[in-house]
Amino acid sequence: MKRYRNGAVWDFENPMPVAGGGGDVILGVDGGTTSTVCICMPILPFSDPLPDPVPVLARAVAGCTNHNSVGEAAARETLEKVMAEALTRSGSNRSAVRAVCLAVSGVNHPTDQQRILDWLRDVFPSNARLHVHNDAVAALACGTLGKLHGCVLIAGTGTIAYGFTEDGREARAAGAGPTLGDWGSGYGIAAQALTAVVRAHDGRGPHTMLMSSILGKLGLSSPDELIGWTYADPSWARIAALVPVVVSCAIAGDEVANKILFDSVEELRLSVKAVVQRLGLCGPEGKDSFPLVMVGGVLDENKRWDIGEEVIKCISKDYPGAVPIRPKVEPAVGAALVAWNFYMKESLENAFKS
């Protein structure tokens, strides 16, 4: 195992003895644009179902690891630090690592995967099994407990639908960012609300409660001030934070806010439908069962205007076999379970060969 340029983060290992087989561990990483979580879990004996809760030895949190946002060098440095911290907290080291799954936003092409795999091979022992995916894979796996089959719909600040078949095919829809139209996302909902306020103020659109509600939320006195507020810091999360205001106005009966939410539901339905159709998850007659994992703040349950529930109703009409799942474990655990599933499959295959 080579000493990577950021090797100082591994100095904690120097006084540690080489771990024995009893201390073997797996690392799962969920790397996003806002934060990154790494969990360290023990090698679990094969069982169905898995223990509930899934045992976690340690958890560490760091910042952004999307190389498109912070650059490749900074992303790698943060990934190393968060993995080192998780191992430190678990009382383990890299010699004990048997499998790693990095599920990181910004990994959108095989060349992205290969670059990260090449780097990981310099960080971990040669016998460690290494897997690199988009962060949507961790989101799917936290609902399916590591099995890469089904469709995940993520709707938070951004949105993406991602699907896998049992034979390894995959497909995605949306997830191209706000400039290219992540409609249905938190950013998309809030941006449409801001647009509706400007249109109403100009006389180009209908009157809406969104005007007074958003201005009150932001402490502004006039819609004219929205222009300065918006472009002073057009970060995606800052805009998306206005979604609860839109939902409140819709609950109060505002037609414009309700239309924005229903349009968003339709966009999210279309993203799921595109993935399901491309992969044939529903079977030739459209009735086969498949997991539909729902992740993200936009889809969180709200008793009075539940966007996630509305999406489920629409998708169930298209695909009666869709099985909605709201995960009980976080995506980093899902990533670890992906690595565990591959590790156990390979171990069983080797056992049968010998």
Side-chain angles (χ1 to χ4, degrees):
M1 167 168 58
K2 300 178 183 176
R3 187 173 176 85
Y4 190 61
R5 67 165 188 83
N6 195 34
V9 303
W10 302 105
D11 283 346
F12 73 91
E13 295 177 325
N14 292 340
M16 296 180 69
V18 175
D24 291 349
V25 298
I26 285 176
L27 294 179
V29 179
D30 171 41
T33 303
T34 303
S35 64
T36 299
V37 177
C38 176
I39 70 105
C40 178
M41 62 176 262
I43 298 283
L44 303 173
F46 184 78
S47 66
D48 189 14
L50 286 167
D52 184 13
V54 175
V56 172
L57 299 174
R59 182 179 187 271
V61 182
C64 174
T65 49
N66 184 324
H67 66 92
N68 293 322
S69 299
V70 297
E72 196 162 315
R76 288 181 178 182
E77 182 172 345
T78 301
L79 285 167
E80 275 203 84
K81 285 180 177 177
V82 77
M83 291 188 290
E85 184 176 350
L87 285 172
T88 302
R89 292 181 177 183
S90 70
S92 191
N93 60 35
R94 286 179 291 174
S95 297
V97 175
R98 293 295 168 260
V100 180
C101 178
L102 294 189
V104 187
S105 64
V107 175
N108 299 314
H109 192 272
T111 55
D112 298 326
Q113 289 176 300
Q114 193 58 52
R115 282 199 313 275
I116 297 175
L117 279 171
D118 290 342
W119 158 67
L120 280 178
R121 290 191 182 103
D122 283 345
V123 174
F124 289 99
S126 58
N127 63 338
R129 300 295 179 259
L130 308 174
H131 308 276
V132 176
H133 298 283
N134 182 275
D135 63 334
V137 171
L140 172 65
C142 73
T144 62
L145 296 181
K147 298 175 182 177
L148 295 186
H149 171 245
C151 180
V152 60
L153 174 63
I154 303 173
T157 299
T159 184
I160 187 172
Y162 213 103
F164 273 89
T165 61
E166 292 178 324
D167 61 2
R169 292 178 297 120
E170 57 188 275
R172 59 180 282 174
T179 303
L180 297 177
D182 263 359
W183 307 125
S185 68
Y187 180 95
I189 290 170
Q192 289 181 75
L194 290 170
T195 300
V197 170
V198 173
R199 288 176 60 84
H201 179 61
D202 288 348
R204 294 181 291 127
H207 172 76
T208 171
M209 186 188 302
L210 288 167
M211 183 180 296
S212 59
S213 296
I214 288 178
L215 293 179
K217 174 70 175 177
L218 301 179
L220 304 178
S221 57
S222 167
D224 291 326
E225 296 178 63
L226 275 180
I227 298 172
W229 180 88
T230 300
Y231 295 109
D233 176 11
S235 65
W236 304 350
R238 179 170 174 260
I239 302 296
L242 293 172
V243 168
V245 179
V246 183
V247 174
S248 294
C249 289
I251 291 171
D254 185 79
E255 291 185 7
V256 174
N258 272 287
K259 185 177 186 306
I260 290 171
L261 295 187
F262 278 118
D263 287 348
S264 298
V265 168
E266 176 63 9
E267 289 290 340
L268 295 172
R269 181 189 75 87
L270 289 173
S271 293
V272 171
K273 187 174 182 178
V275 168
V276 172
Q277 286 185 328
R278 284 164 62 187
L279 296 178
L281 290 172
C282 57
E285 296 183 6
K287 297 180 180 179
D288 285 8
S289 175
F290 63 90
L292 174 62
V293 181
M294 311 283 284
V295 177
V298 169
L299 301 175
D300 285 347
E301 294 180 79
N302 183 314
K303 293 181 180 178
R304 299 185 66 189
W305 219 120
D306 192 329
I307 296 173
E309 188 60 34
E310 292 298 325
V311 172
I312 290 170
K313 288 179 184 177
C314 292
I315 292 170
S316 296
K317 292 178 182 177
D318 294 328
Y319 306 112
V323 180
I325 299 172
R326 294 187 188 260
K328 296 180 180 179
V329 300
E330 65 178 324
V333 174
L337 289 174
V338 168
W340 176 80
N341 272 324
F342 279 119
Y343 178 81
M344 293 304 296
K345 181 179 179 182
E346 187 173 325
S347 298
L348 289 171
E349 288 175 350
N350 290 337
F352 282 125
K353 288 178 183 176
S354 59

